Amino acid sequence: MLSIQQLRYRNILNSVDFSAKSGEFIGIVGPNGSGKTTLLRLVAGILRDFSGKIGLDGQNLAELSSRQVARLVSYVPQIVETVIPFTVIELLRLSRFPYRGMAPKRGPVPDFEAILCQMGISHLKTRQVATLSGGELQRVLVAAALAQDTPIVLLDEPTSHLDPFRAEAFVATLASLKKEGRHLFLMVSHNTAEMARLCDRIVALKGGKKIGEFDPASLLEPEFRFLIYSNGDGDQP
Amino acid sequence: MKFRYFVGISVLTALTLLLPFFFPIPLIGHLSEAVNRHILWDIRLPVVLTALFAGGVLAGGGLSFQALFRNPLATPYTLGISSGAAFGAVVFIVFVHPGGSGAAVPVFAFAGALCSALLVMSFAFRRRMVQAETILLAGVAVNFLFASVIMFSQYVAAQYEVFQITRWLLGGIGNAGTLSVVLTGAAFAGLLAALLWLSPGLDLSILGDDMAASRGLDVRRFKLILITLVSAAVAATIAFTGPIGFVGIVVPHMVRLKLGTAVHRRLVPMTMAAGGLMLAVCDTIGRTVLFPVTIPTGVITALIGAPFFLWLLSRRSTLQR
């Protein structure tokens, strides 16, 4: 489903290789500045001047158009201070751009209601996105990614703005999505406990290089945490 | 609901087209019928039509630039197109045809406007990733560049030429004719069709480059296409009207506040219709309130529009992008 070979991007990523198949939940960990978000943006087709190869569903990303990539990969960005002046349902409709292009009514229409129900936000359907709380917004952004109907879903620190209670509920929702087995999830997070709970495998990056793949449970062990997060110049984890 | 707005806009447009039949004809009723007919069909009607089309283009340009640059202060002039046009006009008035008539000013203004747009784009689109801020700042720089050339020209120009330049910079629809109607009409129709077609891309642009790109929009190409289209339409318009301000920045906000949506397929037709109406009405007011003195349209748009917009703003707490 996803295969990454010899991936390099400017001086940020330097030789990253790994592959994953449908139904897997892959965690990407590493210290700040290790290239995690850049990796997601490359797989999402946002940054395109990379070297190496990103294979999506057997096709080479470099040879696909933006819309073709967007039919294979959806991306849930970190929550930023962007004001989104649309209602929830309007935002979900925008996720159909990969299929419709500039034509408003072309292509299949997914069951938006079912997606909202799955994310537990049916009641927010006609609300303005700008009026939502952080927890609601995060669920809406995931719903928008699901509306894009892609086999690969990328999540960038989805719980970092949530309080512990809402983060837990959100992780439970992700776990139920994982159980369906229809998507390959790639998630960047600094929360080792939720990574250990959700992920099948952990890919660790440091300084733009992949330093290894680990069992998620090892994230809870202090030696592994030091190995992953230290800069190697004597600093303390 | 959409239908109601459509009917309202149609009725208002029809009324605006009828304006020349009522104003200021009754004030000069002592003229012969032939002269009246000439004034009505050959002078008033082209002015009203040019105002309708020009206002629509300016409002449509402002709407799309505000979405593209994700900046509520963006206008069709943000990329320096108005100072480029002014530069062209000044070159003609001072250097090419000093002291003469201004018949060829639109040609030079159009050329100057295109120059400034090309200049901004050639700098901004050099790199693979084109950030909105880069384009905006390039526009600011080009604006200052042309403004300084204009100031220098005014410094060296004769008194009569300075007067001509000042009048042009005020903006107005005084010298409208068949040519201005045809060209601004073509710009209006072309921009309306293009913006309707590209409206999903405008919606995505508001989400920011990353979210737009991850939904399959080729952000760089979209920016290039949109800026080219808007610049061409605005250049064709500003060549005849001069840099009329306010319509381009405020009408889009008025329509957003009124319709309560940010979906561009709904905003585009209303904004362009409202922009046209506003300019046509302002122009008529400028020609009639102090008759026989004509107040330049550019003065009236802000004089009436600014208080009205402030009133609208005070009723809604947030300015939507």
Side-chain angles (χ1 to χ4, degrees), chain A:
Chain A
M1 183 88 275
L2 174 69
S3 77
I4 293 175
Q5 292 158 23
Q6 292 292 315
L7 183 64
R8 287 164 198 273
Y9 180 76
R10 303 204 175 157
N11 56 359
I12 303 171
L13 281 188
N14 182 7
S15 186
V16 173
D17 297 75
F18 72 90
S19 58
K21 57 184 189 297
S22 191
E24 275 193 298
F25 204 116
I26 310 287
I28 297 169
V29 300
N32 295 124
S34 56
K36 306 182 296 297
T37 296
T38 303
L39 177 63
L40 291 193
R41 293 174 82 212
L42 285 163
V43 175
I46 297 168
L47 306 171
R48 310 228 31 176
D49 46 344
F50 58 88
S51 66
K53 193 180 167 216
I54 300 176
L56 302 172
D57 207 8
Q59 302 171 79
N60 186 353
L61 182 144
E63 290 162 8
L64 298 176
S65 73
S66 303
R67 277 174 59 195
Q68 284 171 324
V69 174
R71 280 175 227 159
L72 295 169
V73 186
S74 56
Y75 173 56
V76 180
Q78 288 182 48
I79 292 186
V80 283
E81 297 304 315
T82 311
V83 176
I84 297 175
F86 297 110
T87 63
V88 171
I89 187 73
E90 285 167 352
L91 184 68
L92 260 57
R93 284 197 197 109
L94 285 178
S95 292
R96 301 309 291 173
F97 186 82
Y99 307 92
R100 290 173 179 172
M102 299 294 178
K105 298 214 161 69
R106 196 163 60 195
V109 180
D111 191 348
F112 290 134
E113 307 274 349
I115 292 168
L116 290 173
C117 185
Q118 194 172 17
M119 292 307 297
I121 47 171
S122 298
H123 59 293
L124 301 177
K125 184 179 168 190
T126 54
R127 275 272 294 278
Q128 285 287 333
V129 176
T131 66
L132 300 177
S133 73
E136 291 168 333
L137 176 59
Q138 196 55 261
R139 283 170 181 270
V140 166
L141 291 177
V142 174
L146 294 178
Q148 210 170 316
D149 199 13
T150 57
I152 302 173
V153 179
L154 313 178
L155 304 160
D156 197 354
E157 297 194 36
T159 57
S160 58
H161 284 70
L162 308 186
D163 64 56
F165 188 71
R166 274 161 194 84
E168 205 169 294
F170 181 79
V171 168
T173 305
L174 286 183
S176 72
L177 283 173
K178 176 193 170 185
K179 206 181 268 177
E180 289 179 12
R182 293 195 294 128
H183 303 90
L184 160 61
F185 287 96
L186 246 61
M187 181 166 94
V188 167
S189 174
H190 291 301
N191 187 322
T192 46
E194 69 191 33
M195 292 290 255
R197 178 177 164 194
L198 282 170
C199 299
D200 301 310
R201 250 190 307 153
I202 299 290
V203 173
L205 300 181
K206 193 187 280 188
K209 285 187 181 141
K210 178 176 143 181
I211 56 170
E213 292 188 17
F214 302 97
D215 183 72
S218 61
L219 277 174
L220 304 174
E221 293 165 24
E223 311 88 80
F224 272 101
R225 289 161 68 105
F226 184 79
L227 173 73
I228 291 166
Y229 289 109
S230 74
N231 280 332
D233 50 9
D235 63 350
Q236 293 302 307

Side-chain angles (χ1 to χ4, degrees), chain A residues 9-10 41 44-49 66-67 70 73-75 77 82-86 90-91 94-95 97-98 101-104 128 141 144-145 148, chain B residues 70 128-129 196-204 206-219 222 260-266 320-321:
Chain A
Y9 180 76
R10 303 204 175 157
R41 293 174 82 212
I46 297 168
L47 306 171
R48 310 228 31 176
D49 46 344
S66 303
R67 277 174 59 195
V73 186
S74 56
Y75 173 56
T82 311
V83 176
I84 297 175
F86 297 110
E90 285 167 352
L91 184 68
L94 285 178
S95 292
F97 186 82
M102 299 294 178
Q128 285 287 333
L141 291 177
Q148 210 170 316
Chain B
R70 305 173 63 219
R128 279 186 71 96
M129 296 288 284
L196 275 178
W197 168 244
L198 296 173
S199 54
L202 290 171
D203 292 344
L204 285 174
I206 297 181
L207 301 180
D209 286 0
D210 273 19
M211 277 177 85
S214 71
R215 278 161 180 70
L217 185 72
D218 186 336
V219 175
F222 182 74
T261 183
V263 178
H264 281 85
R265 208 173 290 275
R266 291 182 61 202
Q320 291 179 333
R321 199 180 260 137

Side-chain angles (χ1 to χ4, degrees), chain B residues 124-149:
Chain B
F125 283 88
R126 274 187 178 174
R127 296 201 292 170
R128 279 186 71 96
M129 296 288 284
V130 189
Q131 297 206 306
E133 288 79 9
T134 314
I135 311 178
L136 286 176
L137 289 175
V140 170
V142 167
N143 243 327
F144 273 104
L145 180 70
F146 282 122
S148 65
V149 177

Side-chain angles (χ1 to χ4, degrees), chain B residues 59 97 142 146 151 157 168 223 259 275 302:
Chain B
H97 204 277
V142 167
F146 282 122
M151 282 192 283
W168 194 87
K223 282 178 182 161
L259 291 188

